[in-house]
Amino acid sequence: MKEKFSVTGMTCSACSAGIERTLNKMDGVEEADVSLMGESMNVEYDEKVVSREQIIAAVEDLGYGASLYDESAVKKQKPQTNALKRRFLLSLVFLIPLMYFSMGGMAGLPQPSDTVNYTIQLVLTAVIIAINFRFFTSGTKALIKRVPNMDTLVALGSFASFAYSLVLTVLVYLGRGTEHMHMFYESAAMILTLVTLGKWLEEKS
């Protein structure tokens, strides 16, 4: 049997390749062909060995959405431009003051004490991470399933910057840090904001 399915949540070629590898390893699946641009996949399988529900479940376990292809439903789907635009603008609202506190001292702008400054940066970055937390959920699921994608890379880069800065901030709280330690909160936030902007422009185009 050969059927076509709709797939949502793919962001790069690694996503489609990961789904293909996972499905082609399943017992009963003879061939799986995933289209990133078409947000769909054609699967040829033996219905006596594997069911349609199992195929959909395998895709969903990777962090994507899947359903039997319905052309009329696909035509009614609206691009995610509004959601991505909202995420980008919200991130930008918090990124601008974050850049002031992280970079303002270099331009001679007035700054609070290091402890207060780092605390503000921590809070602003945490909010931006919360706004774009989908990168972390999708990226982590893909990594656990050993099919890392672009979300995995974005989440890893952002988390590394945030975790490093958080450790330094704790050291400052404990009085073990030196003055004017270089934090990377703005890097963690900038990664998420710019990638979200790219996704928004890509979806819009």
Side-chain angles (χ1 to χ4, degrees):
M1 173 182 284
K2 188 173 184 178
E3 287 190 302
K4 187 174 184 179
F5 299 82
S6 294
V7 182
T8 59
M10 294 187 294
T11 58
C12 61
S13 57
C15 298
S16 57
I19 295 173
E20 283 186 359
R21 286 199 301 271
T22 299
L23 294 182
N24 283 320
K25 290 179 181 179
M26 292 180 65
D27 293 335
V29 174
E30 299 173 9
E31 183 181 10
D33 180 27
V34 182
S35 171
L36 174 63
M37 298 302 296
E39 295 187 323
S40 62
M41 63 181 184
N42 291 307
V43 183
E44 187 172 352
Y45 63 97
D46 184 351
E47 64 273 21
K48 296 179 181 178
V49 179
V50 63
S51 66
R52 177 191 302 161
E53 290 72 23
Q54 288 175 311
I55 293 174
I56 292 175
V59 176
E60 291 178 341
D61 284 343
L62 295 177
Y64 308 101
S67 61
L68 194 62
Y69 190 85
D70 185 343
E71 187 172 354
S72 60
V74 170
K75 289 182 178 179
K76 293 179 181 178
Q77 287 181 355
K78 296 181 180 180
Q80 298 298 311
T81 51
N82 290 336
L84 290 169
K85 179 181 178 181
R86 184 166 55 252
R87 274 173 51 189
F88 167 68
L89 293 178
L90 278 174
S91 299
L92 192 62
V93 167
F94 293 98
L95 180 63
I96 292 174
L98 174 60
M99 296 302 294
Y100 172 84
F101 288 106
S102 62
M103 301 292 187
M106 300 180 185
L109 299 174
Q111 297 285 309
S113 66
D114 288 342
T115 303
V116 174
N117 189 311
Y118 299 154
T119 301
I120 293 173
Q121 291 187 50
L122 168 61
V123 172
L124 290 173
T125 305
V127 172
I128 293 174
I129 288 176
I131 293 171
N132 297 282
F133 200 68
R134 190 183 183 285
F135 286 117
F136 295 88
T137 55
S138 174
T140 301
K141 284 182 179 179
L143 184 61
I144 292 174
K145 294 293 182 178
R146 293 185 294 178
V147 285
N149 54 25
M150 183 60 71
D151 288 351
T152 306
L153 181 62
V154 172
L156 187 60
S158 181
F159 176 76
S161 299
F162 181 78
Y164 175 82
S165 302
L166 181 60
V167 170
L168 294 185
T169 301
V170 172
L171 291 177
V172 171
Y173 290 160
L174 297 176
R176 298 179 182 177
T178 59
E179 291 186 359
H180 308 299
M181 298 176 71
H182 191 75
M183 302 291 177
F184 293 95
Y185 285 120
E186 81 284 351
S187 299
M190 185 69 76
I191 291 171
L192 298 174
T193 304
L194 290 182
V195 174
T196 300
L197 171 62
K199 287 180 177 291
W200 171 37
L201 295 177
E202 181 181 35
E203 187 73 16
K204 191 174 183 179
S205 67

